Amino acid sequence: MRGRLEELDALRGLMLVWITFTHLPTALSQYVNQPFGFFAATEGFIFLSALFTGRIYFQIAEREGFGAMCRKLWIRAGRLYCYQLLLLAFAFVVEAPIAAHGNRPAVHNLLDFYFAVGRTHAFVDAALMIYRPPLLDILPLYIIFLALTPFALMLALRFGWKYVLGGGSVLWLLAQFGLRGYVYHLMTRAFGLHVPLNEMGAFNLWAWHLWWLIGVWLGVRWAKGDLQLEAWARRMTVPAAIVAVCFLVLRYVQVADMLDFGKAGRLLDKWDFGIGRMIDFAAVAALAIRFRSVLKPLAIQPLVILGQASLQVFSVHLVCVFFALTIMGDNEIVHGWLSVVVILISLSSLVLTAKISATRRAKANASHAAAEVNIPPRVGLDTKAA
């Protein structure tokens, strides 16, 4: 798999639309929440982001040096952090007063800790990415992973990926047995941490980091031209189809309340990222790669530009979700024609954001190209030219 594939951009755009439909409080949400088995759009979005990060920034390291790669990665993480601060400001300054003075239980429930400790206290904790309100807990995860990626690449370069992935697997395994809670209680005793564990985001960072590492590793292999996914997908077609169908059946049997997974449900837990979710995602991914030619026509331009502006679009989708929760009032979901309007406004906002981002990116590239053309030639010391 070489070069930039518009199908991957379109796939990331599809993940963003999928996440938006899942988060919007409409009747559509229940139909798009994990429809293909035990994985959600979040897994795809994180994985594809890690894949692109590994490929792009490894190429930068090879071309410009490791220092330049670190600098650019941390600048990107800093930009995302600014997006997070803007979203927090929107939630605390715009949404919180509406929830406090109106009948908006959905928004109020999202900001429970804010109302308990006050605006200043909540904002400081949120700015430190300790307090992560629901919906606003994915970007901090992404920022932390992005900021730590140079260290993962450095360790991989020095010791090899088997040690990096092996260490990540050990942490993931410990996370399945309560590492997050243990670290939380340790920090509480050592630093007087006062933010409740349930207000520190639903995603278990100690488990999800392995998914990011796998994506970065595959991205580096892609950059080296050593990612033979098509051959792997051909070998895995039959077992992948069996696994995908089995998980799909279990998914809808569980929905029908005909099967109780009990403790085995942890294998499929989203927040602690159970092993079953990895297996299910890998099986469906193998089938998607195997039948790529059939799926390629689905890579339409709107999805491509959404994927190319993924982080801006993701941020705007959160604003749309807060807007929908606000107008929902004390209802369980947004009903009727209003739900259609909410969906259409949200999709339009995502596409508009992507187009603005694409226009700015094109202007920046044009300015950069023009600057390179106008660079005066270096004056040599060739006396014969005189």
Side-chain angles (χ1 to χ4, degrees):
M1 190 167 70
R2 295 176 178 272
R4 182 164 190 134
L5 300 178
E6 285 199 342
E7 301 100 287
L8 288 181
D9 287 323
L11 186 57
R12 190 155 56 161
L14 177 62
M15 296 295 175
L16 289 164
V17 175
W18 185 0
I19 289 173
T20 303
F21 284 166
T22 303
H23 285 166
L24 286 174
T26 67
L28 183 61
S29 176
Q30 62 179 317
Y31 297 104
V32 298
N33 185 20
Q34 303 186 139
F36 306 115
F38 288 97
F39 65 91
T42 310
E43 284 94 326
F45 182 73
I46 292 290
F47 179 81
L48 289 174
S49 298
L51 182 74
F52 278 109
T53 297
R55 176 180 182 258
I56 293 170
Y57 288 95
F58 179 79
Q59 290 177 332
I60 291 174
E62 285 194 320
R63 186 173 61 248
E64 303 177 30
F66 202 83
M69 182 270 290
C70 292
R71 184 170 61 253
K72 291 184 177 182
L73 256 176
W74 288 331
I75 288 174
R76 183 170 177 78
R79 187 180 301 120
L80 294 181
Y81 180 70
C82 291
Y83 290 167
Q84 177 70 1
L85 291 181
L86 288 174
L87 289 169
L88 289 170
F90 175 80
F92 293 163
V93 176
V94 177
E95 289 293 333
I98 295 175
H101 296 97
N103 190 17
R104 304 289 186 273
V107 181
H108 199 288
N109 291 339
L110 290 178
L111 301 175
D112 272 345
F113 183 73
Y114 168 90
F115 289 114
V117 300
R119 179 188 298 177
T120 302
H121 200 164
F123 189 83
V124 170
D125 286 335
L128 294 173
M129 294 192 295
I130 300 172
Y131 167 43
R132 303 171 199 160
L135 294 178
L136 299 178
D137 56 349
I138 301 179
L139 266 185
L141 196 77
Y142 191 104
I143 293 166
I144 292 170
F145 290 160
L146 201 63
L148 295 178
T149 295
F151 299 105
L153 292 174
M154 195 182 334
L155 289 172
L157 180 65
R158 185 173 181 83
F159 301 107
W161 275 105
K162 62 180 180 180
Y163 293 104
V164 174
L165 293 173
S169 299
V170 170
L171 285 177
W172 172 86
L173 186 61
L174 292 174
Q176 306 308 303
F177 294 94
L179 177 62
R180 186 188 192 193
Y182 175 78
V183 173
Y184 172 79
H185 291 301
L186 188 65
M187 292 176 64
T188 300
R189 291 196 301 268
F191 305 107
L193 187 67
H194 57 272
V195 179
L197 182 58
N198 66 301
E199 296 290 356
M200 297 179 69
F203 295 91
N204 187 340
L205 182 146
W206 299 100
W208 276 81
H209 84 284
L210 179 60
W211 198 231
W212 179 268
L213 284 177
I214 292 172
V216 171
W217 168 59
L218 292 175
V220 170
R221 291 188 59 180
W222 181 11
K224 292 180 176 179
D226 186 34
L227 191 58
Q228 306 300 324
L229 285 183
E230 290 85 356
W232 170 76
R234 282 195 297 271
R235 292 195 303 271
M236 295 298 296
T237 300
V238 174
I242 294 172
V243 169
V245 170
C246 288
F247 274 111
L248 190 64
V249 171
L250 286 176
R251 164 78 173 97
Y252 287 99
V253 167
Q254 186 194 37
V255 168
D257 292 327
M258 296 172 61
L259 180 63
D260 181 11
F261 285 104
K263 292 183 179 179
R266 290 189 59 81
L267 301 175
L268 302 169
D269 186 79
K270 177 178 181 178
W271 312 120
D272 289 329
F273 203 49
I275 186 66
R277 301 184 77 86
M278 295 189 200
I279 295 172
D280 194 10
F281 184 93
V284 174
L287 295 176
I289 295 168
R290 179 67 179 86
F291 300 104
R292 174 184 161 194
S293 59
V294 177
L295 299 175
K296 190 173 182 178
L298 300 177
I300 57 177
Q301 195 59 28
L303 291 179
V304 172
I305 64 171
L306 284 174
Q308 291 174 345
S310 59
L311 296 172
Q312 295 91 332
V313 170
F314 182 86
S315 300
V316 169
H317 115 272
L318 291 173
V319 176
C320 294
V321 173
F322 269 108
F323 168 74
L325 292 172
T326 302
I327 66 172
M328 186 174 70
D330 59 356
N331 297 312
E332 292 185 0
I333 60 172
V334 180
H335 294 281
W337 65 268
L338 190 56
S339 66
V340 177
V341 172
V342 165
I343 291 172
L344 291 177
I345 289 176
S346 298
L347 285 178
S348 301
S349 300
L350 301 188
V351 173
L352 180 61
T353 300
K355 287 187 174 181
I356 292 173
S357 179
T359 301
R360 289 180 176 177
R361 188 164 56 248
K363 288 182 179 179
N365 291 338
S367 299
H368 182 68
E372 287 186 341
V373 170
N374 293 326
I375 294 176
R378 295 179 63 183
V379 178
L381 298 177
D382 190 354
T383 56
K384 292 181 180 180

